[in-house]
Amino acid sequence: MTDRLERLINLVIALRETRRPMTAAEIRQRVAGYGQSDQEAFRRMFERDKADLRDLGVPVDTATLEPYDDRPGYRIDPRRYNLPDVSLAPDELAALALAVQATGLHDEGEAALLKLEVASGEPTGGRRSADPGLGVSLEAPHRETLVAAQVSRTVVTFAYRPPGRSAEQRVVDPHAMVHRRGRWYLVGHDHARDGRRAYRLDRIEGAVKTTGGSGAFPEPDAEVSVDDVVPAPAAGGP
């Protein structure tokens, strides 16, 4: 699989960078991964790769080389292949800045955000470390620990105090962190109850601990929403 992926990437690079269409013979000779000595094996592989790239939306064009050369040539027009410039409004950049902080992907996220800011001409600057005006606070107990467990798909355990009851130990597969009405919730699969539940972070008592290794449970197969497991609070309620 890795060899095939590398071959497809090499083919895309070669066809995108060439100034004139490349013949099949040139592709076989110059593109890494097409070193087959058997011409028929190369032809089948190239036809399959070409079809797969087109199915993925890569515009592999077929063109005539010269007026007196009827051999087909292949190339990728950069104007059709390259993504258009991204321009985001200030509120969209603010939402992305919040997402970078919420996920904890500081180094990678900050670098990507800076590129988008420069392209959009709307730098958030010092606002990255503050509430970007969306009414969402990142200050919540255990948030970073639970986000890390969600990303790595690691089971967590903690003591949880439901309203009007004493704290109970929970073992949970963390599926998502959800913000609703000014509060953060963990939504996940509760092992003891064998179902999806939501836990308000400020009702978790003591430390959140991880158990077992990463990849302990599959990613949820549907969009996670706190509304699925928590009824809407009454007006003025928590």
Side-chain angles (χ1 to χ4, degrees), residues 6 16 49 66 74 76 79 94 135 188 215 217 219 221 236:
E6 290 180 355
R16 183 187 177 281
D49 290 349
E66 301 290 345
Y74 306 93
I76 294 173
R79 294 170 298 180
F217 55 89
E219 295 184 6
D221 56 3

Side-chain angles (χ1 to χ4, degrees), residues 148-235:
Q150 173 199 337
V151 172
S152 63
R153 305 206 311 275
T154 304
V155 178
V156 295
T157 65
F158 51 83
Y160 187 73
R161 176 181 48 80
R165 292 155 55 187
S166 59
E168 303 172 356
Q169 197 67 22
R170 304 294 176 93
V171 180
V172 178
D173 299 341
H175 289 171
M177 298 292 296
V178 180
H179 188 272
R180 175 181 172 181
R181 295 178 181 263
R183 301 186 186 278
W184 282 97
Y185 291 81
L186 166 69
V187 179
H189 180 83
D190 189 299
H191 287 210
R193 291 153 183 80
D194 193 24
R196 182 170 287 177
R197 298 290 188 274
Y199 309 92
R200 220 172 79 181
L201 265 57
D202 60 352
R203 289 179 176 158
I204 295 177
E205 297 187 349
V208 173
K209 300 179 180 180
T210 58
T211 178
S214 60
F217 55 89
E219 295 184 6
D221 56 3
E223 183 177 352
V224 176
S225 171
V226 72
D227 294 320
D228 297 337
V229 287
V230 176

Side-chain angles (χ1 to χ4, degrees), residues 22-153:
M22 296 179 67
T23 65
E26 290 172 331
I27 291 171
R28 181 184 180 189
Q29 181 180 12
R30 299 177 186 176
V31 178
Y34 289 111
Q36 298 82 2
S37 58
D38 186 296
Q39 172 65 25
E40 181 59 24
F42 161 75
R43 187 193 66 79
R44 290 196 303 268
M45 179 179 290
F46 176 58
E47 290 297 323
R48 183 171 61 248
D49 290 349
K50 186 172 55 174
D52 288 345
L53 288 177
R54 286 171 172 166
D55 288 343
L56 292 171
V58 179
V60 180
D61 296 330
T62 303
T64 302
L65 297 178
E66 301 290 345
Y68 302 104
D69 188 344
D70 59 358
R71 292 178 301 166
Y74 306 93
R75 71 185 299 266
I76 294 173
D77 186 345
R79 294 170 298 180
R80 296 174 54 209
Y81 177 70
N82 294 350
L83 293 174
D85 292 337
V86 177
S87 180
L88 300 177
D91 58 340
E92 293 172 322
L93 285 168
L96 283 176
L98 175 65
V100 168
Q101 296 176 63
T103 58
L105 300 174
H106 300 297
D107 293 338
E108 302 90 339
E110 288 283 349
L113 183 61
L114 179 60
K115 292 179 181 179
L116 289 172
E117 291 171 2
V118 171
S120 302
E122 294 284 351
T124 59
R127 288 182 292 154
R128 291 186 203 157
S129 59
D131 182 346
L134 300 178
V136 178
S137 172
L138 295 175
E139 296 300 323
H142 316 295
R143 185 184 59 80
E144 291 189 2
T145 301
L146 291 170
V147 167
Q150 173 199 337
V151 172
S152 63
R153 305 206 311 275

